[in-house]
Amino acid sequence: ARASEAEHVARDIVALSPDEPHVVRLVLLARLEATLAFSSAAGARARPSVDATRTALSGPEGSDADTTTAIMEMAIDRGMWEAAAAAADALAPSSPAPATGPLTLPQATRTALVRALAIPDAALQFAAARTLALAGGDEPYAGSSLAVKALIHAATSRGEDRVVIAHPDRAVAEELATAVSRFGYDPVVTRTGREAVFAARDPDTVLVLLAARCISPGVMETIQYLQQPPFGAAPPVLVVVAPLDDDGRGRFLQKRLLALADVHGAMLVDRLDSMFMPTVDEQTGAARSAPRFHDAVAQVAGPAAVDPPTRSAARAERLSRAREALATLAILGERGRDVSGAVEAALRAIVLEESAPAAAAVLGTIGHPSAQYALFRVTARASPPADAAVLAALRSHAARHGVLLDAGTVDAACARYTGSTSAAERSAPAAALEAIGVPSRNLAPPSVDAAPARSTR
């Protein structure tokens, strides 16, 4: 509704032929928000194409980097992070800039994109990091390493909803993990607040269940750490109280309620059966009320957090960002940048069919034995044959860094090749061995009537 009203106001302003640049940029910001709002379908975020965004950002004199940068900063100042992310995407070039050469983006634009990396929004951070990586110019510069770290963080996503559970009692933690798994979440159990803080830094974390008597550090200190993530948005927190915490003498619950009253994104809940299970009529067996868990999550994180289509769209968006981040990291690796921090993310993604080509491209640029081993393992054990991108990455890695595999790994592939009687079964290890420079003709088993290798005299 706000976008529609702003669009009508923008038409009235345009009819007055304003010459003030600030007024023109406000009109363009309103048009950008309208483009984003009207592109959504069925309640799920569907970002328009980059061409449509650039059209929305085109003023009377066309579109340029300075105007788009100013609109991005205006959107950030007003908390319109989705519009800011769209503007950052529009600043990215259609094709990557060369490894060396003149700066593609103006200095002011690059500085604004580096500042955008500090905004606690995953989409905006990724858009700014990707634009800096593709068109930021010669490295190093202020914020260049931060952009790489933001890309690595986005690349670790696997498109799932993770819930971090921190409780000192292992039995209670497992009970909470079982309960949240019924709602389609992937639980991660920890025992202390410190472990919960590190576990919650995964980009797929959408909720944290924190024991009210959490230790090392305490519950309030843990919430403060959770709300200051290095990348991405702060996850909502549900502070879980136990039945014995309802002690009027110590006023434990009263103190917790007062402490959480002014904390945004956190609330106090119990762990009674009605929180995770429907209330059933004992006589008729019919459900009288739904579980209270969805209502609690909606109160602390918003109604979209419990809407199935929106959750599905958010998972798909995180997975899409992970593939784009891997592809961008591969470009940086080809330019000679150090992207060795992406080894773990690439190892997690190479087992997924959709992300395997991008993950292989990243591993192909990292001169680490684990990278070559992952490429060799996927190629040698592939059935059906591995993707051509994985095989090309293995061949390129071996040619660039040499053979970094141990003898046992190569011998196992040779044994699988010589021990197979089917050509289809031998194709995968043969391709892997040939990629690292071991010709398959030297591995073929001798024929039954061949002369013995050693003299029999």
Side-chain angles (χ1 to χ4, degrees):
R2 184 176 70 250
S4 179
E5 184 177 358
E7 193 175 21
H8 291 300
V9 175
R11 289 201 197 100
D12 297 337
I13 296 176
V14 171
L16 300 176
S17 300
D19 297 328
E20 178 65 32
H22 185 70
V23 176
V24 175
R25 291 168 182 173
L26 281 174
V27 171
L28 296 180
L29 178 60
R31 187 162 66 180
L32 175 61
E33 187 184 20
T35 303
L36 294 172
F38 298 147
S39 64
S40 301
R45 282 176 30 174
R47 185 168 296 175
S49 63
V50 177
D51 293 337
T53 302
R54 289 172 179 167
T55 302
L57 292 172
S58 299
E61 299 179 357
S63 177
D64 58 271
D66 293 335
T67 301
T68 305
T69 302
I71 294 174
M72 181 185 70
E73 293 182 317
M74 292 168 61
I76 292 176
D77 294 339
R78 290 160 174 78
M80 303 164 61
W81 292 341
E82 187 177 0
D89 281 333
L91 289 169
S94 302
S95 59
T100 59
L103 182 67
T104 303
L105 295 175
Q107 181 65 33
T109 299
R110 190 173 70 178
T111 303
L113 289 171
V114 172
R115 287 199 299 265
L117 293 175
I119 302 300
D121 182 77
L124 176 56
Q125 288 179 352
F126 171 75
R130 181 176 176 272
T131 301
L132 286 171
L134 296 179
D138 296 337
E139 296 93 356
Y141 56 84
S144 59
S145 60
L146 190 62
V148 174
K149 292 179 181 178
L151 291 172
I152 293 175
H153 178 265
T156 57
S157 174
R158 302 193 66 175
E160 55 191 22
D161 290 339
R162 297 173 79 248
V163 174
V164 177
I165 301 170
H167 203 285
D169 190 337
R170 186 73 179 185
V172 176
E174 295 292 347
E175 179 182 345
L176 292 173
T178 303
V180 299
S181 63
R182 300 191 186 102
F183 298 92
Y185 295 100
D186 183 23
V188 177
V189 176
T190 60
R191 298 195 64 179
T192 64
R194 183 177 184 275
E195 295 176 358
V197 171
F198 284 103
R201 291 180 179 178
D202 190 282
D204 290 325
T205 301
V206 296
L207 182 66
V208 176
L209 295 182
L210 199 61
R213 297 186 183 273
C214 188
I215 57 175
S216 301
V219 61
M220 295 307 300
E221 291 82 0
T222 302
I223 293 176
Q224 291 176 358
Y225 285 124
L226 289 171
Q227 293 187 342
Q228 297 176 358
F231 298 103
V237 181
L238 294 180
V239 180
V240 183
V241 298
L244 294 180
D245 291 337
D246 191 10
D247 187 1
R249 292 174 297 176
R251 296 185 178 182
F252 179 80
L253 290 182
Q254 182 179 358
K255 293 179 180 178
R256 283 288 176 263
L257 287 171
L258 292 176
L260 293 172
D262 298 329
V263 178
H264 177 72
M267 65 176 295
L268 204 67
V269 297
D270 58 73
R271 58 182 180 87
L272 299 177
D273 293 341
S274 59
M275 174 60 68
F276 303 102
M277 299 290 292
T279 303
V280 179
D281 191 336
E282 297 181 358
Q283 296 181 354
T284 62
R288 293 189 300 178
S289 60
R292 294 181 289 115
F293 178 72
H294 274 165
D295 183 62
V297 175
Q299 290 184 47
V300 72
V306 296
D307 180 55
T310 305
R311 282 181 56 187
S312 178
R315 290 193 297 268
E317 185 178 2
R318 290 196 298 269
L319 192 58
S320 176
R321 283 201 300 263
R323 289 195 290 266
E324 292 184 22
L326 288 170
T328 307
L329 289 169
I331 294 174
L332 294 179
E334 291 292 340
R335 293 178 181 176
R337 290 289 303 277
D338 181 15
V339 294
S340 57
V343 170
E344 183 178 354
L347 292 178
R348 294 175 58 181
I350 199 170
V351 298
L352 303 177
E353 182 179 356
E354 300 85 357
S355 306
V362 175
L363 293 174
T365 63
I366 301 175
H368 195 274
S370 61
Q372 190 174 109
Y373 174 77
L375 294 170
F376 185 83
R377 180 185 57 186
V378 171
T379 305
R381 301 179 181 179
S383 179
D387 190 278
V390 179
L391 184 59
L394 176 59
R395 186 178 294 107
S396 173
H397 194 282
R400 180 182 303 179
H401 305 287
V403 179
L404 306 179
L405 304 173
D406 58 275
T409 302
V410 179
D411 290 344
C414 293
R416 182 179 177 186
Y417 178 87
T418 57
S420 301
T421 58
S422 171
E425 294 178 359
R426 290 200 303 266
S427 62
L433 292 168
E434 287 179 349
I436 64 173
V438 180
S440 61
R441 61 178 179 272
N442 295 336
L443 301 173
S447 59
V448 293
D449 57 348
R454 296 182 179 180
S455 175
T456 57
R457 297 181 60 181

